[in-house]
Amino acid sequence: MPKVRSFTVLPALPDPLKALEIIAKNMFWSWNPEFEDLFKRIDSDLWAACGHNPVKLLGTVSQQCLEDLAENQGFLSELQRINEKLKSYLDGTTWFEQVCSKQEKPVIAYFSAEFGIHESLSIYAGGLGILAGDHLKSASDLGVPLVGVGLLYQRGYSRQYLNIDGWQQELSVENDFYNMPIELLRNQNDTPLTVTVQYPERNIQAQIWCVSVGRVKLYLLDTNIEANSSADRLITAGLYSGDSEMRIRQEVLLGIGGYKALQTIGIAPTVCHMNEGHSAFMALERIRHLRSSMNMTFDEAVAATKAGNVFTMHTPVKAGLDEFTPELMDRYFGHYFPDLGINRKRFLELGRIFSDDDNESFKMPILAIKLSGYRNGVSKLHGQVSRAMWSALWPGLPVDEVPIISVTNGIHAKTWLSPEMTDLYERYFGPDWIKKTANKTVWGEIAQIPDEEFWRAHQRSKERLIIYARNRLKTQMQRRGTYHTELNWAEEVLDPEALTIGFARRFASYKRGNLLLKDPHRLVKILNDSKRPVQLIFAGKAHPRDTEGKEIIRKIIHFAAEHDVRRRIVFLEDYDINMARFLVRGVDVWLNTPRRPMEASGTSGMKAAVNGALNLSTFDGWWCEGYRQDGGWVIGSGESYKDTDYQDLVESQALYNILENEVVPLFYSRSADNVPRAWIKGVKKSIEWITPQFNTHRMVSDYTRRFYNPSMARWNYLAAEDMTKAKELSIWEDNIRAAWPEFAVKDVKIELGKAQVRQTNLKQPCLKVGSQLNVKALVKLAHISPDDVSVQLYHGSVDTWGNIKKGSAIKMDYKESSDQQGEHWFVGSVPCTQTGRHGMAVRILPFNPDLVNPYELGLVLWETTVDRASLVAANN
């Protein structure tokens, strides 16, 4: 094979156009349409042909065109204006500086396996990546001091096309890094900056690329370099490709290599945020680094780093999470145990639910949960599901108290909002409305927009969608070899005046993309109503190995052909960010049909809502919080079914009923000027409620207030004075764990005043509302100080099995020591505020103000018999 000496060719921009390169290499342009318009102005056809990639455009456009633009005063004036806007944005005062200016700035490292910023940077597969991209954009807008860490894949997620039978085929397209809006980091001697990661029997190297996302930097690792073997160069070959071994190799690079890359660049993060469990090995490398640099034990390093780690989980089912066999972990981490200062058993326990099960696989989310101080699901429902799913990690703790909270996802509004709606909002809310996306007062003004103007803006977006869909269909048909005479029908597909429903997402079986097809006769009747027609636009990919998902797509294609509704049902191939923009901006209704509670959050419906569409969804994910009766529809009421076929039947019928009796009549109810005023009223209610709640400005500010700033403060506190506090906390934790087996609730005494109690023939006394139950508890703490525990009264209403439902805890006060050494009396009172049967139990938790929360050690001790504390409260 001949030796190839590579070199890079850069665009030769005339001096007056130098700012174009600066603008092109900061992806701020990707959420500012006027920036994109500047590049379109260079050559609109070439802009489309380059995949909306300004770097590739500048490297492809003719030199003569550039020379002409350098003398075009109109273009130069616009270029200067755009460049000044970028500078003003980068230098401007931010929300973070205004709200958090009194605090020291944290350095937040946000790790994710994928980032969906723009279609020109193809390193994303779906919702997880889109969310990560929107997270970076809002962090930039708000000035949150964050850097992203990910992998630079030679091939992005597979491209999709359908064969003549409607069966999904995949195509891999190589990314051309040197014609993308990214830059290779280099040393002072101009050689690429690299990081070294140890793999079984060898080291691999990765070079580091940088993407500028407004004020935020995203660092991406790439192993496709000559220093690596051909096998190791494939580690970053493709997103979510290969078997379990390839997955662990990628996740070692992301977590361990990603953290090392930050150190190499000179960034020392105070807070590390893991977006899903793919990057959980980062927590191990942070521990290893601290041990080696500060001469700490493993437990001491855990105590310190845990306080600075945040973990966001996205998947509501265990089957969808990454896990590796013990044998695979031995291969990739056998050398790593000594670096951490622990043995194999202790290491594998970090990724297991049950420490005594030697056959249990090593689970990445378990590792992230155990080594993070802050954990969250991505909607309120997902938080509940996650607490139940991982409750075994906190044995004896009521599910409601499992320390996993929720921060509901959002969208970056400016990225997804149509130009028409943007202009409309600017006209009526003012030019700075976008900076106040999370401000409810701004959206309270939505009613002042005249219905006629609002409808015209939405219709223009809808017309854009239909033109786009027709062009895509023609391209799809030509690729399949359709006769030229048959292409004409594509010009007639879809009606700009018809009710348009969009369904676009990953085609997994639980998302039920074929739910609408359950009753063909009924659906065809809805679609073909001559006075009130309905049309459906489908898009989305099945995983390359998901045969069931591919079959759903095939059924949609066959349904449209067999029932002669090809003008009413279209499937657009190769769903990506660009197509998503057209869809969420142009449809009238966004349809979402997951089986509850399989949708962790979902964000596509949020994007449609801000553009003036109404949501029609099952009661799952974010829609549990987003649904309002006057601004959308819900399929069912969140019921649970054991028989999924029966569930599909019931919910498909409910879907047809909603369409026939509510959606269609409301859409076609028109005033004399043909404006659907009742429909628009619902749309405005939806926008007013959904937009300020479900956007990433609100989401990132929540993360900042609830996680980033507290995490930074706790990290700084524990790290002060050469980690003195962290070492003290570790020693305290060891002492608590060692003494815990000796702890006991020895006695509980209930004191009832005669005036409080009404005598009954029940075994338990009856208390009157307004009284209180006074309790004394004798607890054995061995040599541990009473200050190091929290003795609590856990109380609440009792179910028919005698279990406390949705209880709450009251801290008992220390009273005195008993005659027995190591035993102490605590006192407390339970207020009787409601009638009914209630229960109370005494429990002990470790207490230390340096813990992130009282459940961190996973220790809770209950009184073993609670019957005598079961009480009945009554009215006078």
Side-chain angles (χ1 to χ4, degrees), residues 654-692:
L655 176 54
Y656 295 133
N657 289 338
I658 293 170
L659 288 173
E660 292 168 342
N661 300 322
E662 297 188 41
V663 179
V664 174
L666 185 66
F667 181 83
Y668 284 104
S669 176
R670 304 296 173 100
S671 59
D673 55 358
N674 199 34
V675 176
R677 297 187 184 278
W679 179 274
I680 294 171
K681 181 179 179 181
V683 169
K684 289 180 178 179
K685 288 287 186 183
S686 169
I687 292 172
E688 181 181 359
W689 166 250
I690 289 174
T691 307

Side-chain angles (χ1 to χ4, degrees), residues 665-719:
L666 185 66
F667 181 83
Y668 284 104
S669 176
R670 304 296 173 100
S671 59
D673 55 358
N674 199 34
V675 176
R677 297 187 184 278
W679 179 274
I680 294 171
K681 181 179 179 181
V683 169
K684 289 180 178 179
K685 288 287 186 183
S686 169
I687 292 172
E688 181 181 359
W689 166 250
I690 289 174
T691 307
Q693 297 282 344
F694 301 98
N695 66 81
T696 43
H697 278 34
R698 186 274 310 156
M699 184 190 81
V700 172
S701 65
D702 277 357
Y703 277 116
T704 301
R705 290 188 178 105
R706 299 171 71 182
F707 292 163
Y708 297 159
N709 285 341
S711 185
M712 175 203 66
R714 194 169 293 275
W715 163 265
N716 289 341
Y717 170 76
L718 293 175

Side-chain angles (χ1 to χ4, degrees), residues 353-620:
I353 299 176
F354 305 106
S355 59
D356 55 351
D357 184 356
D358 292 337
N359 296 316
E360 183 182 348
S361 61
F362 189 96
K363 300 173 178 61
M364 295 298 282
I366 299 293
L367 177 65
I369 287 171
K370 288 185 175 181
L371 296 182
S372 296
Y374 302 86
R375 316 165 190 91
N376 73 285
V378 289
S379 69
K380 287 183 179 178
L381 177 60
H382 183 232
Q384 295 170 13
V385 170
S386 299
R387 286 190 288 274
M389 188 162 72
W390 303 118
S391 60
L393 294 173
W394 290 270
L397 193 66
V399 171
D400 288 345
E401 291 189 295
V402 168
I404 299 172
I405 65 170
S406 62
V407 176
T408 302
N409 284 345
I411 63 163
H412 186 258
K414 195 169 183 182
T415 293
W416 300 102
L417 197 59
S418 70
E420 293 80 10
M421 297 305 287
T422 299
D423 292 344
L424 195 65
Y425 293 157
E426 284 185 358
R427 232 173 20 252
Y428 286 93
F429 300 160
D432 292 331
W433 73 271
I434 196 66
K435 296 179 181 178
K436 307 170 185 175
T437 311
N439 189 327
K440 294 181 181 179
T441 304
V442 170
W443 297 100
E445 299 296 317
I446 189 77
Q448 70 173 297
I449 300 177
D451 291 348
E452 298 84 356
E453 279 193 66
F454 189 94
W455 188 241
R456 281 197 300 272
H458 176 71
Q459 283 298 101
R460 284 196 295 271
S461 296
K462 190 173 178 180
E463 289 162 5
R464 286 176 186 266
L465 166 61
I466 290 174
I467 292 170
Y468 172 82
R470 288 171 176 173
N471 290 335
R472 290 291 295 232
L473 283 171
K474 283 193 287 187
T475 301
Q476 291 171 197
M477 294 171 68
Q478 288 170 340
R479 182 189 49 73
R480 293 178 199 149
T482 305
Y483 290 113
H484 183 73
T485 54
E486 294 182 9
L487 292 176
N488 294 333
W489 78 270
E491 294 289 353
E492 301 173 5
V493 164
L494 305 175
D495 178 356
E497 300 299 324
L499 171 61
T500 304
I501 300 174
F503 181 99
R505 55 191 28 85
R506 183 166 57 89
F507 269 79
S509 57
Y510 78 87
K511 293 179 182 284
R512 299 188 296 180
N514 59 341
L515 189 66
L516 260 176
L517 312 184
K518 293 296 180 182
D519 188 336
H521 175 76
R522 198 169 177 184
L523 176 58
V524 170
K525 185 178 178 181
I526 292 171
L527 297 175
N528 285 337
D529 187 319
S530 59
K531 294 182 179 179
R532 302 186 305 183
V534 176
Q535 54 200 18
L536 302 168
I537 303 178
F538 288 93
K541 302 174 183 176
H543 188 280
R545 293 191 292 273
D546 184 0
T547 302
E548 191 173 356
K550 292 182 179 182
E551 179 61 24
I552 292 173
I553 295 173
R554 193 184 74 87
K555 285 180 178 178
I556 293 171
I557 302 300
H558 280 243
F559 184 97
E562 291 168 3
H563 296 276
D564 195 24
V565 287
R566 290 196 303 165
R567 286 182 171 82
R568 296 284 183 224
I569 296 181
V570 300
F571 188 96
L572 302 181
E573 298 175 6
D574 201 26
Y575 185 46
D576 66 357
I577 289 176
N578 184 46
M579 185 185 294
R581 283 195 295 265
F582 280 99
L583 285 166
V584 298
R585 292 170 176 178
V587 298
D588 300 305
V589 173
W590 194 260
L591 179 64
N592 190 27
T593 53
R595 287 195 186 96
R596 177 185 168 103
M598 304 288 281
E599 186 92 303
S601 176
T603 58
S604 55
M606 305 172 191
K607 297 162 189 159
V610 72
N611 280 291
L614 290 175
N615 276 270
L616 170 55
S617 175
T618 51
F619 213 50
D620 199 9

Side-chain angles (χ1 to χ4, degrees), residues 36-44 47 57 65 69 72-79:
E36 293 194 20
D37 289 343
L38 181 71
F39 293 114
K40 286 181 189 176
R41 191 167 167 178
I42 295 173
D43 187 326
S44 59
W47 170 254
L57 172 74
C65 177
L69 286 172
N72 185 321
Q73 294 305 310
F75 184 87
L76 293 178
S77 175
E78 182 66 2
L79 173 60

Side-chain angles (χ1 to χ4, degrees), residues 78-96:
E78 182 66 2
L79 173 60
Q80 182 180 1
R81 187 184 72 82
I82 293 295
N83 193 36
E84 289 300 321
K85 184 171 182 177
L86 175 60
K87 289 179 181 178
S88 176
Y89 174 85
L90 296 176
D91 297 335
T93 302
T94 67
W95 169 87
F96 187 89

Side-chain angles (χ1 to χ4, degrees), residues 65-140:
C65 177
L66 293 175
E67 297 292 344
D68 291 344
L69 286 172
E71 297 180 2
N72 185 321
Q73 294 305 310
F75 184 87
L76 293 178
S77 175
E78 182 66 2
L79 173 60
Q80 182 180 1
R81 187 184 72 82
I82 293 295
N83 193 36
E84 289 300 321
K85 184 171 182 177
L86 175 60
K87 289 179 181 178
S88 176
Y89 174 85
L90 296 176
D91 297 335
T93 302
T94 67
W95 169 87
F96 187 89
E97 292 169 339
Q98 293 172 336
V99 174
C100 310
S101 58
K102 295 180 181 179
Q103 302 182 33
E104 179 186 346
K105 274 193 176 184
V107 179
I108 304 148
Y110 182 84
F111 291 76
S112 183
E114 51 175 302
F115 288 90
I117 300 168
H118 187 263
E119 62 268 20
S120 64
L121 186 60
S122 181
I123 55 171
Y124 64 94
L128 180 73
I130 302 302
L131 178 79
D134 282 7
H135 193 114
L136 296 191
K137 292 172 186 176
S138 278
S140 172

